[in-house]
Amino acid sequence: MKFGVVRFPGSCDEVDAQLACERVGDAVLLWHADRDLQGVDGVVVPGGFSYGDYLRAGAIARFAPVMESVAEFAREGGLVLGICNGFQVLCEAGLLPGALLPNETLRFVFRQVNLQVVDSGTPFTRACAPGDTLSIPTKHASGRYFSPAPVDVVLRYAPGENPNGSQDDIAGVRNEAGNVFGLMPHPEHAVDPLTGSVDGLKIFESMRASLTSRVAA
Amino acid sequence: MSAAAADERHRALGLTDGEYDRIVELLEREPGDTELAMLSLMWSEHCAYKHSKKLLRRLPTEGPAVLMGPGENAGVVDVGGGLGLAFKVESHNHPSAVEPFQGAATGVGGILRDVFAVGARPIAVLDSLRFGEVGRSARSRYLLEHAVAGIGHYGNSIGVPTVGGELYFEHSYEQNCLVNAMCLGLAPQERLIRAAAAGPGNVLVLLGALTGRDGIGGASVLASAEFGEGDADKRPTVQIGDPFAEKKLLECSLELLDRELLVSLQDLGAAGLTSSASEMASKGAVGLDIDCDRVPLREAGMEPFEIMVSESQERMLCVVAPELVGDVIAVCERWETRATPIGEVTDSGRMRIHADGEIAADLPVGILVDDCPLYDLLPEEPTGGPSAIYSAPEPSLPTGSADAVPAAGDTLLALVASANLASRLPVFEQYDPVVQSRTVRRPDEADAAVLSLPTGEAIAVAIDGNGRRVACDPRTGAAEVVYECAANLACVGGEPLGLTNCLNFGNPEKGHVAWQLTEAIEGIAAACEALSVPVVGGNVSLYNEAPGGPIYPTPVIGMVGRLPDPARTGRLAFGAADDVIAIVGAFEPSAVGSELAKLRGEPLRAPLPRLDAQAAIAAHRAVREAVRAGALSSAHDIAEGGIATALAECCVAGGIGARVEIPDGIDPFAEALGRAFVISGSAEAIAAISNDVRDAAPVTVIGRVGGSALELVGVLDVPVQALSEARAAGLAALL
Amino acid sequence: MRVRVLVSPKQGILDPQGQAVERALPALGFEGVANVHVGRLIELDVEDPSQVPAMCDALLTNPLVEDYEIVETAPAPHPQPAAHPQHLS
Amino acid sequence: MRVRVLVSPKQGILDPQGQAVERALPALGFEGVANVHVGRLIELDVEDPSQVPAMCDALLTNPLVEDYEIVETAPAPHPQPAAHPQHLS
Ligand SMILES: Nc1ncnc2c1ncn2[C@@H]1O[C@H](COP(=O)(O)OP(=O)(O)O)[C@@H](O)[C@H]1O
Ligand SMILES: [Mg+2]
């Protein structure tokens, strides 16, 4: 089981994501300028401030050469997880619906939030029970999800905990096929009891389980 | 007639006539424009420490853990496992007063560069902020909001967690806000690098951003004569931080070091190329030739002096063997970072600046770096005490006749809601404290931040500095700051390894400020000696004066420590009903310099309560050992707002009440910082601790955790909910 | 050719920046202000202005949430923006 | 009166956003682009346009780092911003 974590100039949480992946499998960093995905089984587009978040968060990163391969990988059904800035990149790239707008407060906010698992049937949430609550940190300045059309919601902020003004408390969505998932909270920062909760591990465990069963099939 | 009298340029550049005469004497000629620009900056207070250097010699700088002490870009201590921990605090007060967002942001950018300049990967930032009374001053609210946003912007975007900080509001900072930032970095010891240039024939390579007319500041007077009406574009400009550029510069610099491609590395900070290059030359006892024409510029038509003093951000300077320059450029290209050879190391002992095929400056390195005169201060203790210098704070609590005085419960609510004591959540919520996956204790979880190390151990860090108390009694007040930092570390089981400091003071040429500075340094030095904590670096910011007088003398101390097991560290929240609460340490507080005295509008007074070093150290040790043993549910030092406030904070954090009897003779709101703690744990655990440390540090059981209110028997009884709401609202309403 | 791209939030999408400005102005004594929106201004020199719409669609704007307008200004200038703000109408 | 305030980074000041866009465009195949700057666009309805410069100085812009230009557009419109981008010249 090998995860690939994309590294753009300005990525900040790529090593954190790599460490989280390594709790359930192997993980390598994928350099933004390389098209080669090194045969990974799943891709994580991590958090941070790719290209400084200049212009719009994720706007420039989506054009990195590696993203062509990631898009191709996604089209072929590969599992792609976008975390925070990665979610923004996937939306900008059209791999996920919608857009992430500046927080309603116009401020960056760090907060440990509770998330409701709306859809536990995805390859990213199958380790969760329906209605599970996950305690995971969020940290971003542009996390207000907006989509003019209905979307497949996977995670919502628990009632009263929406940190950014997101439409319908949406914290994470998937594509129609279900193999691409983006969320604003940072599951990779919730994998170690020493530094916080371990609820985020369920996302990585779900991916591992999905990939393993696929490989077996 | 002296040379000085004949030429006025130097005065506009901030040099005295005496200093200018000295320059002419040393050079045996008049300096040219570029030379004078360079000299005026190198001989400025900021670069030459001319009013503080002699005093700083009093600070102890040696200790078994010290790997690099003052004089390098950041101090470094040994944290075991072959790792060095680099850290430093620096001020960006003036730029933040002008443009708080960019000033604070570039302050963070600057201190990060100091840390990766020694080869360490920045792993944490802390911020220390002072503003005027935000409750009364719209300007101060503006500065607060934007400085905090700027710090968050830079730290968050570059992926370094901001794990702690401190924030006070006092009238004395109304015209002179303080924005100090501290950075910690981690390095394998073999990657540590010094700034000394070496090896004549080696190449000087400038890394990072283009050079523009940023922050040319005072030196721009040299150009002002040429400013026509249409030359607005030649004016110096505010420095804009680009954390994205710095992120690439950081990764690139560390990769260059990992590949052993550099002889030396140095950041560009204040005074730009001039300062960086001449300090590299001085440390290596070599000369440097720099060609301005090769410096990549952001704007056309920059003059050599502008290039040499530009403070454009996100640049570094390194020395490279000629055969490795190609490799260096290749690594930099991968990180989309510019790398330009701009000169070379010589054995001339001179800084020679070339431009347009001519020599724009040719100065001995020594005159730039070593020859600025150092001044003795003329300290004079103000005869009328602190209130002769500072007006009393404006009262915000009624005083006077007995029935006007609020009940103790209301006093406590007012204290926890006051700007200096209220929850800092609205500030630190704007900072990412967890990136890099090391943060074991975030803000508000404990008195110090705790970061795990790859060795399995952990480090703790705290930053502190209560200027009002230092104003009351500079020597004891400054010492208290050091003890408070050490106490904060003790609360998480940390043992001090070293400290850094930023001395924010008024005009040292004034007798009373000189006295404050002298006394404060004495207090810090004595505390460091007693605690065996070396000073490994720091920064001095003087002349923080307004027409109304100086700021409160504000030494900011950042201290780091080590603890063996991150799984056994402390929390400040009361944990479980029925836990026993005890005071550890000799605690004889007074109302002098307290937050309550401030809220009542009382004039500043001396002296602060006496500080018994051995008693304080024994209390620190007792708490540290108990935390490390995993014996405690909570540990919190008793600081501003007295024991009532400390207990309220433990209750609010734990969402649980407590019933406590305050020992006779202790005013619940009186203060003595850094000496005593409130701890909680099982009855057996507290009894065992008491037994262990009885002779050294008193452990006084005062009550139990439980219920939904904080009750100080016979004094006050307030629901935790009310305390929590008051504490949450205090700052949120202002930010 | 110097070109300006004026990017504004699409109608109907919450614009907290615009709202914040709208709320702050009366507090400073400016009355009679409504309908405030805050967007982005991108200025660039281009050799071929016909490419600009494509640049907008690809990178400069997000068509899902933003509208834009392209304004050509002076022909290929490297102009000094006015040192002092100008009032053009 | 609908007014637009065009805010750009002051001349000579570092504009990291502009630089980032300038570097990104060629990678997308757009050549011949230079001098890119990214600023802000503020649109508002005002009763008294003569107040706008004061609003700019007090709140809308940061004169230390930004220049601005005021453009009056349609008289008191509550217009639909063009649903599709327009190319004006
Ligand atoms: N208050 C102080 N205590 C100890 N060392 C100090 C103090 N102030 C400055 N120093 C040391 O003096 C040197 C020069 O400081 P500074 O000019 O701030 O360095 P830089 O140019 O790298 O920012 C540094 O090594 C710094 O640690
Ligand atoms: Mg330095």
Side-chain angles (χ1 to χ4, degrees), chain B residues 46 49 56 59 70-73 88 90 114 267 279 501 503 535-540:
Chain B
H46 190 90
Y49 289 83
L56 293 178
L59 298 174
E72 291 299 330
N73 286 309
K88 189 174 179 215
E90 199 158 64
D114 267 330
D267 62 294
E279 274 169 25
N501 68 101
L503 302 173
V535 177
V536 301
N539 183 243
V540 179

Side-chain angles (χ1 to χ4, degrees), chain C residues 74-86:
Chain C
H78 284 251
Q80 306 308 87
H84 295 285
Q86 286 178 317

Side-chain angles (χ1 to χ4, degrees), chain C:
Chain C
M1 174 72 70
R2 186 101 183 132
V3 169
R4 283 172 166 171
V5 180
L6 280 56
V7 187
S8 15
K10 250 199 175 30
Q11 272 253 313
I13 292 183
L14 179 70
D15 173 16
Q17 263 191 294
Q19 290 183 344
V21 171
E22 198 160 324
R23 265 195 309 271
L25 282 170
L28 299 174
F30 297 107
E31 301 294 339
V33 179
N35 246 311
V36 183
H37 287 292
V38 178
R40 219 177 6 254
L41 168 70
I42 302 159
E43 300 173 286
L44 58 173
D45 290 347
V46 287
E47 279 166 16
D48 175 5
S50 74
Q51 286 196 322
V52 178
M55 291 180 201
C56 287
D57 294 332
L59 175 72
L60 301 181
T61 76
N62 181 346
L64 192 65
V65 290
E66 293 168 335
D67 287 324
Y68 65 89
E69 197 176 291
I70 296 167
V71 183
E72 291 176 11
T73 56
H78 284 251
Q80 306 308 87
H84 295 285
Q86 286 178 317
H87 187 93
L88 309 179
S89 49

Side-chain angles (χ1 to χ4, degrees), chain B residues 528-543:
Chain B
C528 288
E529 283 161 358
L531 287 157
S532 306
V533 189
V535 177
V536 301
N539 183 243
V540 179
S541 168
L542 301 176
Y543 299 94

Side-chain angles (χ1 to χ4, degrees), chain B residues 341-421:
Chain B
I342 61 162
E344 70 174 39
V345 179
T346 68
D347 57 11
S348 68
R350 302 182 75 84
M351 284 279 291
R352 280 192 301 239
I353 312 302
H354 303 259
D356 281 338
E358 289 175 19
I359 297 210
D362 183 357
L363 297 168
V365 171
I367 190 176
L368 285 159
V369 179
D370 305 316
D371 292 339
C372 174
L374 300 183
Y375 299 109
D376 288 306
L377 300 193
L378 301 170
E380 209 177 309
E381 179 170 1
T383 46
S387 61
I389 311 175
Y390 301 103
S391 59
E394 279 203 41
S396 48
L397 270 186
T399 50
S401 70
D403 36 297
V405 175
D410 293 332
T411 300
L412 179 57
L413 285 167
L415 272 172
V416 300
S418 69
N420 281 347
L421 296 182

Side-chain angles (χ1 to χ4, degrees), chain B residues 622-649:
Chain B
V623 170
R624 180 169 66 236
E625 295 309 323
V627 169
R628 288 179 171 195
L632 300 181
S633 301
S634 74
H636 184 29
D637 67 311
I638 307 176
E640 286 90 354
I643 190 166
T645 302
L647 289 163
E649 288 163 350

